[in-house]
Amino acid sequence: MYRIGELADLCEVKADTLRFYEKHGLLSPSSRTDSGYRVYTDADAARLRFILRAKAVGFTLSEISELLSIDLDKSNWACADVKGMVDLKLAQVQAKIAELLHFQTSLQSLSDACCGGPRSAEHCSILEALESSTERVRVEHDHGATDCTTTLDKSGN
Amino acid sequence: MYRIGELADLCEVKADTLRFYEKHGLLSPSSRTDSGYRVYTDADAARLRFILRAKAVGFTLSEISELLSIDLDKSNWACADVKGMVDLKLAQVQAKIAELLHFQTSLQSLSDACCGGPRSAEHCSILEALESSTERVRVEHDHGATDCTTTLDKSGN
DNA sequence: ATAAACCTTAGAGCCTACTCCAAGGTCAAG
DNA sequence: CTTGACCTTGGAGTAGGCTCTAAGGTTTAT
Ligand SMILES: [Zn+2]
Ligand SMILES: [Zn+2]
Ligand SMILES: [Zn+2]
Ligand SMILES: [Zn+2]
């Protein structure tokens, strides 16, 4: 039996978070004291850990709701249903990774092209690339050099 | 000179988006017709393309605001400032990628362990793993087999 | 002249997951 | 019997980027 703050400390979340989960139907305390304090059982704690583990693999709270209701009614669901949810989430995660890898590549080539020095940004190839995308990013030389405008493939070679 | 819908079509965004950008100080039309219609110039269109390119490498609108004001006042900024923004964003993107790769690995090992078949989820190792994390995920055999409980390293070997 | 297609505004709504606040009730220690 | 730590509620705020609505004005083509 835990009060809200105890369970929160135990699982390293805030009491506010537990109230939030309750409001959204994820986790309700099994009972209340006479004065209205929430009282959580070990089963409630286990449910909270289920939620936190599912969060840790990337599920949203509404997906976790679904997983929780499947978990409470396993005999009416098949492995295919559960695996389907995991595979769908996996596909979403992979799509997001692909997008971010694209960002990473572009940012890296912008970064590589810029000298990063203290001179005026008037010659900055990052700004230039954003102003008019040429699919090639002009590389700034080490400064002190006279010429500052060699071209280079966006991939950074 | 473009009306809002024309510029929107030209750049494949919605007119609402342009109004939104205006409200947030990113892009204001250079003038208005007598009847109050927004009128965008080629310079405005160029600014919009700057915004879209910056979005395409992962910057948020408030970061783009900053980039735009630097771009309009280049002589008072250094390459270091611009590169700093790019490198910061790069670090954020990489951190997010790392998190998602972690999700990916976990989801993949959950998926691999589950038979995905039509039988009751009562034996599902995904649910089992979420119920009580053991750092190992039980692998379900191909069904039809008698035994369904070999253990396996989370990495999938 | 009229209908379709366009434009205007202010403001609300959506999504995710909290996080914080105010105003007040409860409980154990000293 | 007071202090301080804890708890209660409802509701607002945050970030990010739109998206939509209502109620009306303008332009263009037929
Ligand atoms: Zn430079
Ligand atoms: Zn530069
Ligand atoms: Zn199975
Ligand atoms: Zn399964």
Side-chain angles (χ1 to χ4, degrees), chain B residues 37-89:
Chain B
Y37 284 22
R38 290 169 176 82
V39 175
Y40 296 91
T41 63
D42 285 325
D44 298 329
R47 189 173 165 103
L48 176 55
R49 283 192 207 94
F50 184 110
I51 293 167
L52 299 177
R53 274 177 219 117
K55 259 178 66 76
V57 300
F59 285 108
T60 64
L61 297 187
S62 77
E63 290 159 350
I64 293 171
S65 257
E66 224 181 314
L67 286 169
L68 282 165
S69 61
I70 290 175
D71 195 58
L72 285 182
D73 186 30
K74 290 180 183 178
S75 58
N76 285 311
W77 296 89
C79 266
D81 299 317
V82 183
K83 185 167 181 162
M85 287 184 68
V86 168
D87 286 346
L88 177 58
K89 176 54 57 179

Side-chain angles (χ1 to χ4, degrees), chain A residues 31-93:
Chain A
S31 57
R32 298 271 185 144
T33 63
D34 288 349
S35 57
Y37 284 21
R38 290 169 177 81
V39 175
Y40 296 91
T41 62
D42 285 324
D44 297 330
R47 188 172 166 104
L48 176 55
R49 283 192 208 95
F50 184 110
I51 293 168
L52 299 177
R53 274 177 218 118
K55 260 177 67 75
V57 300
F59 285 107
T60 64
L61 297 187
S62 76
E63 290 158 349
I64 293 171
S65 259
E66 224 181 313
L67 286 169
L68 282 165
S69 61
I70 290 175
D71 195 57
L72 284 183
D73 185 29
K74 290 181 184 179
S75 58
N76 284 311
W77 297 88
C79 266
D81 299 316
V82 182
K83 185 167 183 165
M85 288 184 69
V86 167
D87 286 346
L88 177 58
K89 176 54 57 179
L90 184 55
Q92 290 166 359
V93 164

Side-chain angles (χ1 to χ4, degrees), chain B residues 14 16-17 20-21 35 37 55 60-61:
Chain B
K14 295 195 175 180
D16 273 336
T17 303
F20 177 82
Y21 288 172
S35 56
Y37 284 22
K55 259 178 66 76
T60 64
L61 297 187

Side-chain angles (χ1 to χ4, degrees), chain A residues 79, chain B residues 114-116 123-126 140:
Chain A
C79 266
Chain B
C114 174
C115 73
H123 77 287
C124 184
S125 47
I126 293 172
E140 305 161 21

Side-chain angles (χ1 to χ4, degrees), chain A residues 114-116 123-126 140, chain B residues 79:
Chain A
C114 174
C115 73
H123 77 287
C124 184
S125 47
I126 292 171
E140 304 162 22
Chain B
C79 266

Side-chain angles (χ1 to χ4, degrees), chain A residues 83 86-87 90, chain B residues 106-116 126 137:
Chain A
K83 185 167 183 165
V86 167
D87 286 346
L90 184 55
Chain B
S106 302
L107 288 165
Q108 190 69 65
S109 88
L110 286 174
S111 180
D112 288 349
C114 174
C115 73
I126 293 172
V137 183

